[in-house]
Amino acid sequence: MEIIIQQNKQAASVAAARVVARLVSEKPDAVLGLATGSTPLPLYAELIRMHREVGLDFSAVTTFNLDEYVGLEKEHEQSYHSFMWQNLFSQININPDKIHIPDGMTTDVPACCAAYEQAIVDAGGIDLQILGIGSDGHIGFNEPTSSFASRTRIKTLTQETVADNARFFDGDESKVPRHCITMGIGTIMAARSNIMLAFGGGKAEAIAAMVEGPVAAMVPASILQHHRNAKVFIDDAAAAQLKRADYYRWVYAGKPDWQQDA
Ligand code: PGA
């Protein structure tokens, strides 16, 4: 894992956006895995800025989102469909036919999940997957004890995740869906590269467990220790519990310019 610590989430998000932009510039038909939640918003804002100001072209890009709530219509304001259109898709030149998000209203969950996996294969696999981390260490909605070999499937949210996400549902936990369809950990690990973003002290414990703890199903994100190309962009607050933070800073500061966005 490469740990990139920046002073604040804005700087970390700009650094992460440069990695995404370099991929899209070099491979215009790149396949991106996308995430929702508060964390990727500054990254998406920077990609939108790059699209507007320097012509970053998304017209041939294919996207697959990590997850969706079960039981929310696409049009529901808290569905991840709505989130993606509001915060990214409506502001870049993406082809709607190349956007994929699990269907939370499907009447046949296993078939929907299998079709999602097949669509990723048909697209040539995910080049770069963007990830957030839950305070309980989840990636996508793969909660603690999820199988490291798992593929897209239905999952039940933990009470911690329901509580974390209640802020999007008027603070009312009873309004948060209990189930979701999520890419599995095996799906995420099959991506050719992963970018994890985490900001704020509320993520510090999960980040320390992911980076410096043992690889364990109790911390699903810790599997990224086994990924050959995983970058972790965090702010000082999220880095606060890392024992080797100074080493990670030293390594990043010493990277040659040509390697910075690679
Ligand atoms: P957040 O969620 O970005 O809203 O903190 C991250 C996650 O649950 O993966």
Side-chain angles (χ1 to χ4, degrees):
M1 264 192 250
E2 184 182 359
I3 317 302
I4 297 134
I5 305 170
Q6 301 282 296
Q7 268 187 336
N8 53 48
K9 68 178 173 186
Q10 189 58 30
S13 300
V14 168
R18 285 175 50 183
V19 176
V20 179
R22 179 167 171 165
L23 170 68
V24 172
S25 301
E26 290 178 357
K27 186 178 180 189
D29 61 349
V31 179
L32 300 180
L34 301 178
T36 52
S38 318
T39 304
L41 288 173
L43 164 65
Y44 294 155
E46 178 63 8
L47 293 177
I48 292 164
R49 188 197 67 76
M50 288 173 165
H51 169 65
R52 289 189 180 146
E53 294 180 12
V54 295
L56 186 62
D57 180 11
F58 291 89
S59 60
V61 166
T62 296
T63 67
F64 288 90
N65 265 78
L66 281 168
D67 44 23
E68 178 59 285
Y69 290 116
V70 167
L72 292 193
E73 303 276 356
K74 286 180 185 172
E75 296 72 27
H76 189 288
E77 61 173 0
Q78 292 307 335
S79 77
Y80 288 160
H81 280 80
S82 295
F83 177 99
M84 289 310 304
W85 277 98
Q86 191 180 334
N87 294 299
L88 182 64
F89 296 151
S90 63
Q91 296 168 74
I92 58 175
N93 64 332
I94 194 147
N95 178 348
D97 294 340
K98 292 182 181 289
I99 292 170
H100 304 81
I101 304 176
D103 178 5
M105 295 301 287
T106 181
T107 52
D108 187 343
V109 171
C112 173
C113 294
Y116 204 69
E117 287 284 330
Q118 189 59 47
I120 294 172
V121 171
D122 293 347
I126 293 172
D127 290 302
L128 187 156
Q129 175 67 56
I130 295 163
L131 296 168
I133 187 169
S135 59
D136 62 3
H138 72 209
I139 44 176
F141 271 132
N142 296 284
E143 300 285 25
T145 73
S146 288
S147 162
F148 283 160
S150 52
R151 292 283 167 169
T152 303
R153 70 215 183 290
I154 190 166
K155 285 291 285 181
T156 306
L157 276 51
T158 58
Q159 285 171 301
E160 185 172 345
T161 300
V162 169
D164 282 349
N165 289 6
R167 68 189 194 280
F168 299 115
F169 293 84
D170 309 319
D172 182 350
E173 290 184 21
S174 71
K175 291 187 186 165
V176 182
R178 293 300 190 262
H179 298 98
C180 59
I181 292 175
T182 181
M183 279 186 202
I185 297 176
T187 322
I188 292 167
M189 287 296 285
R192 286 184 274 280
S193 61
N194 275 286
I195 284 185
M196 156 76 67
L197 301 160
F199 310 126
K203 299 290 172 72
E205 192 179 335
I207 286 294
M210 172 185 89
V211 176
E212 295 177 342
V215 174
M218 282 299 285
V219 184
S222 66
I223 192 63
L224 292 175
Q225 293 178 28
H226 283 276
H227 199 283
R228 61 190 295 180
N229 189 350
K231 296 183 198 301
V232 182
F233 292 87
I234 51 180
D235 63 359
D236 284 338
Q241 292 188 34
L242 288 170
K243 292 192 178 65
R244 296 188 150 236
D246 288 345
Y247 171 65
Y248 310 137
R249 288 190 177 95
W250 183 76
V251 170
Y252 190 63
K255 271 183 100 169
D257 279 352
W258 61 268
Q259 223 189 17
Q260 290 285 340
D261 306 334

